[in-house]
Amino acid sequence: NINNGINEIIYGNPSKEKYKVLVLGDSGIGSKTSFLNVLVKNQFDYNNYGTYEGALSSKKINLNNGKELTIDFWDTPGQEKYRSLIKLFLKDIDCAILGYEVIRKESFENIKTFWMELLKESSDVDLIYLVGNKIDLFEKRVVEENEARKYCEEKNIRYFEISCKDSIGIQELLDDLTNQLTKI
Ligand code: GDP
Ligand code: MG
C-alpha cells in the first residue's frame, strides 16, 4: 500500500510548497498513467485507455519534521503527435521521470535516443529519474537491470524498478523523490 501520511525517513527542508514533476516515455509503458493511479488513488487497472492530454495528479507529503509539501505530477501522452505539447510541459519542471517497460527493448532504446534528447533540448532540469516498470512479468523481461543501471550511472540519472500491478518499488521511488526534491 502506498503511504498517504507520514513518511518515516524524510525530514528535509523544502524550499517550495509545491514541486512540479513531469512523467514521460513511450505509450503503454505503464509508468505514467498506471504509476500515477497507484501513487495517488492506490488503484491498478488492466484497462487503461491511453492518455491524450496533460493530466494533473497531486500528492501531499507530510515530512516527519512537521513540514509538508505537494508534488504535482503531470501525466503526458507518449505518442509522437503530442511532442509539441510535451515541450511546453517541460518548461519550469523540478524533476522529470522517464519510464520504460522491462518487457519491451524498444521502450528502453527510445529513452537513450529520443526521450533524453528531447529533455536536454527543451529543459534544464537536473533531477531525472528512469523507471523500469512491469517487473512482475519477469518471464518476459528483455532489458536487464544492470544495463539500465549502467546507463543511468553514466548520465547521472536515478534508477528505480517498479511494478504498478504488484505495487513494488513505488513507495521507495516516492520517498527518494521527496528526499531529492527537498534538496533542490
Ligand atoms: P502509460 O500511460 O503509457 O504509462 O500506460 P498505461 O498506464 O495506460 O498502461 C498500459 C498497460 O500496461 C495497461 O494495460 C496497464 O494495465 C498495464 N500495466 C501498467 N503497469 C503494469 C505493471 O506493473 N505490470 C503489468 N503486468 N501491467 C502493467
Ligand atoms: Mg497514459
Side-chain angles (χ1 to χ4, degrees):
N1 262 16
I2 304 308
N3 188 345
N4 283 301
I6 310 291
N7 285 297
E8 297 303 326
I9 56 165
I10 298 167
Y11 43 83
N13 197 14
S15 59
K16 305 199 265 185
E17 282 173 17
K18 230 179 223 218
Y19 294 86
K20 186 174 165 190
V21 176
L22 198 66
V23 186
L24 302 156
D26 281 10
S27 293
I29 56 176
S31 65
K32 294 174 291 167
T33 306
S34 292
F35 167 66
L36 293 178
N37 283 343
V38 174
L39 200 61
V40 175
K41 299 184 219 158
N42 237 318
Q43 213 171 71
F44 176 78
D45 192 348
Y46 264 117
N47 307 302
N48 278 346
Y49 296 104
T51 307
Y52 305 103
E53 56 187 4
L56 173 65
S57 297
S58 288
K59 187 149 182 88
K60 260 196 173 50
I61 314 258
N62 296 303
L63 307 179
N64 58 4
N65 56 7
K67 295 187 177 169
E68 184 185 277
L69 60 89
T70 302
I71 307 177
D72 279 349
F73 290 94
W74 283 92
D75 194 2
T76 63
Q79 287 167 276
E80 225 166 304
K81 60 182 173 182
Y82 296 104
R83 295 294 143 83
S84 49
L85 175 85
I86 288 177
K87 283 187 185 176
L88 291 179
F89 272 93
L90 276 167
K91 304 210 181 313
D92 297 330
I93 56 171
D94 297 300
C95 169
I97 299 181
L98 299 167
Y100 76 99
E101 51 183 332
V102 300
I103 59 169
R104 194 162 56 90
K105 189 92 183 164
E106 191 194 3
S107 67
F108 179 64
E109 294 302 322
N110 285 342
I111 292 294
K112 297 199 279 184
T113 54
F114 176 75
W115 289 107
M116 275 301 281
E117 207 148 286
L118 181 77
L119 200 60
K120 292 295 176 192
E121 77 187 28
S122 309
S123 165
D124 53 11
V125 68
D126 289 323
L127 182 58
I128 304 171
Y129 283 77
L130 179 64
V131 175
N133 185 33
K134 306 195 186 180
I135 59 169
D136 55 286
L137 299 174
F138 52 88
E139 284 173 337
K140 291 189 183 164
R141 181 165 187 152
V142 291
V143 180
E144 292 311 320
E145 181 172 350
N146 280 345
E147 184 186 356
R149 271 197 196 285
K150 186 163 169 278
Y151 171 75
C152 288
E153 270 163 30
E154 283 164 11
K155 302 281 178 188
N156 202 18
I157 297 171
R158 302 183 77 76
Y159 184 67
F160 282 81
E161 297 205 334
I162 65 169
S163 165
C164 296
K165 178 178 158 278
D166 293 346
S167 222
I168 297 170
I170 292 178
Q171 185 67 54
E172 288 82 354
L173 172 55
L174 181 65
D175 287 346
D176 190 78
L177 174 64
T178 305
N179 271 321
Q180 292 300 316
L181 288 174
T182 63
K183 291 179 192 162
I184 287 178

